[in-house]
């Protein structure tokens, strides 16, 4: 894998991106003779946010601790810009164990404070809160190195638009804090009388736990961070078996951007579950001996223990040669015998990936969706060892209904092979680093794909012309999962979208008519989200197929326009040169040098 930590142009101060809302800040009254900037205010040591949403009523509880890192005593004013329509139920600052309560400022009073800070500190970022109410408290002197704790609770009614609910917590502190957060915890619990469908955070990687169709729990935990984006949460409610919602954004005279969310029920009736076949392909070469082999077997046992009654399965182990549990797919009732087969497997020999994959895909039948779980810790060392030849052989033999999900264990796997074989066959690749648990990764994956409800998906956009859609190949839908698509569109207007797919060899069709692509305005976070997916696509193409000038140009253009951080590219342009022809040419040149160096590196190793 390429080893790059990317420097991307973050151009908030240049106006490329609108600055996100900030959490509560302390505006310091400077000591005599000290010139204090806003980012020299006491930093936030930790912030814990607990969000309870019940039938569109959101109650947010905030617990945060400020610490004064400056060599002088800090005092001044604490300000928390309130979301529109929020009602405060509790607001207290703790000083030496005593509660000091604050007051609520109307929007015009808050504006006076913001104007004064901008005038004194020449930081216009606060003016984005003009028009909002705010909480205010006087900050008692905070000696150097000491802390103050603030607790806050407020409630708001979240509007519902075409079944879509939107919540936002102002989390950005990068411009206002003198130190990274040691601990950031955001927990959001949703309870709804109507069935929940998609649950999505557009700006953060969050864990999502769905116990049923009416509850969801989201979690975000980070440490040593300076948050630069608000915590934003979308969820959809619908009585449809598969709920579908649309968000869009369009500027006058330009193509628009859209985000489509589709999600089935979490709990589905048995007759609505697509019966599937599972093929387990396990590396049993000598390098798997010990803990890796034990974990691989445990992962396979988990899959066998959680088959649906009408599912079928196969097991193929491989090293210098291959061994199969059975010459054909077996019913779920034979799972115990499959586990006995696993118990007898031993790690020894070389690694013939080509032969194992050909034998495994040869077991697949075209009539049912088939998930192939491929687990290996090494490079092909036996039989066909050329990556391109292996890919061609599998592409030739695998039916279209096979989805391949690769799990690479350790640092010596061929990432080009695993990434491409999964990409070619509608799956994904996951890498388990030394010391991480193989069985946990596989079991977490299988929980997501255990109950497919719609396979071989396609979308008809009606009269709306869309293009540049990601992902380009629509994945299958599983109970409790969701489809997230981003793309561009030409002209806005009412839309009739039809989602089609297969359920147990029968075609199902779902039509959604109360949708609309905006003709102007909308949700302005969508363009950057789309650009992130587009950059990811181009970088994957370069890594797998080599450099093409148009891909490089597209990456540089999207990067400079949207300020995107990626894990693959690295270039440095001074902020003042971002928009000059010379600056862009230098960026492209630097980028090409990085990519050329990366191409010479092997596709394996730490």
């Amino acid at each position: 894998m390429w080893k790059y930590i990317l420097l991307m142009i973050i151009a908030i101060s240049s106006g490329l991106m609108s600055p996100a809302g900030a959490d509560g800040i302390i505006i310091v009254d400077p000591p005599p003779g000290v010139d204090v900037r806003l980012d020299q205010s006491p930093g936030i040591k930790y912030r814990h946010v607990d969000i309870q949403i019940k039938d569109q009523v959101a109650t947010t509880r905030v617990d945060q601790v400020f610490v004064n890192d400056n060599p002088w005593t800090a005092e001044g004013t604490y300000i928390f810009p309130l979301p529109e329509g929020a009602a405060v139920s509790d607001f207290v600052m703790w000083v030496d164990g005593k509660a000091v309560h604050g007051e609520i400022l109307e929007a015009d009073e808050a504006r006076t404070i913001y104007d004064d800070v901008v005038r004194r500190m020449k930081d216009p970022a606060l003016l984005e809160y003009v028009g909002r109410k705010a909480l205010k408290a006087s900050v008692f002197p905070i000696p150097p190195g000491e802390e103050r704790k603030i607790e806050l609770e407020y409630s708001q009614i979240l509007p519902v638009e075409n079944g879509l609910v939107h919540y936002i917590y102002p989390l950005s502190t990068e411009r206002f804090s003198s130190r990274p957060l040691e601990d950031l915890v955001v927990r959001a619990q949703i309870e709804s009388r109507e069935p929940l469908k998609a649950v999505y955070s557009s700006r953060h990687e969050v864990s999502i736990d769905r116990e049923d169709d009416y509850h969801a729990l989201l979690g975000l935990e980070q440490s040593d961070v300076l948050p630069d984006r608000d915590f934003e949460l979308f969820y959809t409610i619908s009585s449809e078996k598969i709920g579908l919602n649309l968000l869009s954004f369009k500027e006058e005279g330009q193509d628009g951007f859209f985000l489509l969310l589709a999600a089935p029920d979490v709990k589905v009736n048995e007759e609505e579950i697509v019966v599937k076949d599972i093929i387990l392909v396990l590396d049993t070469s000598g390098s798997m001996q010990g803990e890796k082999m034990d974990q691989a077997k445990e992962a396979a046992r988990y899959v066998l223990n959680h088959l649906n009654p009408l599912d079928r399965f196969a097991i193929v182990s491989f090293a210098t040669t291959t061994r199969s549990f059975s010459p054909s797919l077996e019913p779920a009732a034979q799972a115990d015998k499959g586990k006995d087969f696993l118990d007898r497997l031993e790690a020894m020999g070389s690694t013939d990936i080509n032969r194992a994959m050909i034998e495994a895909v040869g077991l697949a039948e075209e009539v049912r969706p088939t998930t192939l779980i491929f687990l290996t810790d090494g490079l092909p060392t036996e039989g066909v060892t050329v990556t391109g030849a292996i890919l061609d052989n599998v592409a030739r033999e695998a039916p279209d209904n096979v989805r391949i999900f690769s799990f690479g264990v350790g640092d010596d796997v061929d990432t080009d092979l695993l990434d491409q074989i999964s990409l070619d066959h509608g799956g994904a690749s996951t890498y388990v680093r030394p010391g991480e648990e193989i069985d946990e990764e596989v079991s977490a994956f299988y929980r997501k794909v255990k109950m497919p409800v719609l396979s071989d998906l396609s979308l008809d956009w009606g009269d709306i012309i869309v293009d540049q859609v990601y992902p380009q190949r629509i994945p299958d839908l599983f109970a409790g999962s969701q489809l997230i698509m981003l793309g561009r569109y030409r002209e806005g207007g009412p839309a009739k979208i039809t989602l089609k797919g297969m359920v147990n060899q029968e075609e199902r069709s779902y039509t959604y008519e109360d949708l609309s692509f905006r003709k102007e305005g909308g949700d302005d976070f969508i363009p950057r989200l789309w650009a992130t997916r587009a950059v990811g696509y181009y970088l994957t193409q370069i890594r797998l197929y080599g450099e093409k000038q148009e891909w490089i140009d597209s990456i540089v253009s999207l990067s400079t326009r949207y300020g995107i951080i990626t894990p693959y590219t690295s270039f440095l342009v001074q902020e003042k040169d971002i928009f000059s022809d010379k600056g862009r040419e230098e960026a492209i040149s630097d980028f090409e040098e990085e990519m050329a160096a990366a191409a010479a590196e092997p596709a394996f190793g730490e």
Side-chain angles (χ1 to χ4, degrees), residues 480-535:
S481 70
Q482 55 200 24
L483 169 65
I484 301 170
M485 297 191 71
L486 290 129
R488 306 293 303 268
Y489 64 94
R490 307 280 178 84
E491 301 295 333
K496 178 181 177 181
I497 297 177
T498 302
L499 174 66
K500 295 181 179 179
M502 302 296 294
V503 178
N504 296 327
Q505 303 169 48
E506 294 182 7
E507 185 175 87
R508 299 285 175 88
S509 179
Y510 304 86
T511 301
Y512 308 87
E513 299 191 48
D514 297 328
L515 301 171
S516 180
F517 288 81
R518 288 183 179 269
K519 296 182 179 180
E520 189 173 350
D523 298 284
D524 59 5
F525 73 90
I526 300 176
R528 188 173 187 271
L529 199 58
W530 170 84
T532 301
R533 299 294 177 93
V535 167

Side-chain angles (χ1 to χ4, degrees), residues 159-430:
V160 183
E161 183 177 353
N162 295 323
L164 181 72
V165 183
H166 181 200
Y167 170 90
I168 186 168
Y169 175 78
L171 190 59
S172 173
T173 60
E174 185 165 7
R175 291 157 296 146
F176 306 121
S177 180
S178 60
R179 60 180 287 170
L181 278 167
E182 293 180 15
D183 184 28
L184 169 64
V185 178
V186 180
R187 180 182 182 273
Q189 190 165 6
I190 305 171
E191 180 180 342
S192 174
R193 283 179 293 184
E194 294 187 67
L196 297 169
K197 289 299 190 290
V199 180
Y200 177 59
S201 176
S202 61
R203 297 180 174 182
H204 293 87
E205 292 286 341
V206 298
S207 63
I208 302 176
D209 184 23
R210 301 284 304 274
E211 63 178 77
D212 56 33
D213 289 321
Y214 302 93
H215 299 83
L217 179 64
L218 292 83
L220 169 67
E221 293 189 17
Q222 296 179 332
S223 59
D224 195 30
V225 292
L226 281 170
D228 62 349
R229 290 177 288 174
D230 292 346
F231 178 79
E232 201 158 11
L233 168 63
F234 294 88
Y235 68 91
T236 64
I237 52 177
S238 173
S239 57
E240 300 276 353
K241 289 188 178 297
I242 298 178
L244 186 144
N245 293 83
L246 184 74
L247 298 171
S248 57
F249 175 82
K250 192 175 190 300
E251 293 183 286
E252 185 178 359
Q254 299 186 27
D255 286 356
F257 301 81
F258 72 86
L259 166 65
L260 180 142
L261 300 170
D265 294 336
V266 173
K267 301 291 186 181
V268 295
N269 297 326
E270 189 170 315
E271 63 270 14
E272 296 172 333
I273 299 174
V274 178
V275 294
K276 65 183 183 301
D277 294 335
I278 298 290
I279 301 175
L280 295 162
V281 184
L282 304 181
D283 186 344
T284 57
S285 60
S287 57
M288 287 287 293
Q289 193 167 18
E291 184 179 12
K292 285 191 288 187
M293 190 65 184
D294 293 339
Q295 289 186 5
K297 289 181 179 181
E298 192 60 35
R301 288 191 195 97
Y302 180 92
V303 173
L304 296 180
N305 285 333
H306 291 82
L307 293 170
N308 298 321
L310 297 179
D311 291 345
R312 298 183 301 184
F313 74 96
I315 306 171
V316 176
S317 70
F318 70 96
T320 306
T321 60
T322 61
R323 292 181 63 194
S324 295
F325 167 62
S326 173
S328 60
L329 292 157
E330 294 291 338
Q334 297 297 313
D336 286 342
K337 292 183 178 179
K339 286 182 279 187
D340 291 339
F341 174 79
L342 291 173
D343 290 339
R344 295 193 298 271
L345 294 178
E346 297 180 355
M348 62 180 66
S350 303
T351 309
D352 192 340
I353 290 177
N354 180 78
R355 182 173 176 180
M357 294 300 292
I358 295 302
E359 183 171 324
V361 298
L363 295 170
E365 299 177 6
E366 296 186 14
V367 295
R368 304 214 296 190
T370 301
T371 297
L372 190 153
I373 300 174
F374 173 41
L375 191 152
T376 181
D377 78 331
L379 304 163
T381 58
E382 189 78 21
V384 179
T385 58
V386 177
T387 296
I390 297 174
L391 294 172
D392 290 342
N393 292 340
V394 176
R396 184 176 60 252
E397 299 295 332
D400 291 339
N401 61 308
V402 174
R403 307 287 185 262
I404 298 178
F405 295 86
S406 303
F407 291 82
V409 183
D411 289 334
D412 293 324
V413 292
D414 186 338
T415 57
D416 281 354
L417 173 61
L418 299 193
D419 287 351
Q420 189 61 49
I421 205 169
S422 295
L423 185 64
D424 288 347
H425 299 276
S429 51
T430 300

Side-chain angles (χ1 to χ4, degrees), residues 17-190:
M17 297 169 58
S18 299
D23 197 353
I25 60 171
I26 292 179
I27 301 170
V28 174
D29 293 330
V34 177
D35 184 16
V36 179
R37 300 190 313 272
L38 192 56
D39 63 1
Q40 288 177 308
S41 301
I44 301 175
K45 182 177 181 180
Y46 74 76
R47 180 185 300 124
H48 295 169
V49 183
D50 184 78
I51 305 155
Q52 301 284 332
I53 303 175
K54 184 174 182 179
D55 298 324
Q56 285 75 69
V57 177
T59 301
T60 304
R61 299 178 181 87
V62 185
D63 176 8
Q64 58 186 354
V65 167
F66 287 88
V67 60
N68 183 17
D69 291 321
N70 298 297
W72 35 263
T73 297
E75 58 183 306
T77 303
Y78 172 82
I79 291 287
F80 186 98
L82 286 168
E84 186 175 353
V88 178
S89 54
D90 186 32
F91 176 43
V92 60
M93 175 178 288
W94 293 91
V95 180
D96 298 330
K98 298 179 180 180
V100 179
H101 294 274
E103 60 179 311
I104 298 177
L105 302 179
E106 294 299 324
D108 55 348
E109 296 178 281
R111 170 64 188 253
T112 301
I113 293 178
Y114 300 155
D115 283 340
D116 180 62
V117 173
V118 170
R119 186 167 49 252
R120 287 190 291 115
M121 299 184 179
K122 298 182 176 58
D123 192 328
L126 280 175
L127 292 182
E128 68 182 282
Y129 308 119
V130 168
R132 294 193 196 182
K133 292 183 177 181
L135 290 173
K136 173 189 173 185
S138 296
V139 178
F140 280 63
I142 309 177
E146 291 197 9
E147 302 174 350
R148 291 291 183 266
K149 180 177 181 179
I150 291 176
E151 294 177 345
L152 165 67
E153 179 178 299
Y154 61 88
S155 299
Q156 62 193 118
I157 298 175
L158 305 177
V160 183
E161 183 177 353
N162 295 323
L164 181 72
V165 183
H166 181 200
Y167 170 90
I168 186 168
Y169 175 78
L171 190 59
S172 173
T173 60
E174 185 165 7
R175 291 157 296 146
F176 306 121
S177 180
S178 60
R179 60 180 287 170
L181 278 167
E182 293 180 15
D183 184 28
L184 169 64
V185 178
V186 180
R187 180 182 182 273
Q189 190 165 6
I190 305 171

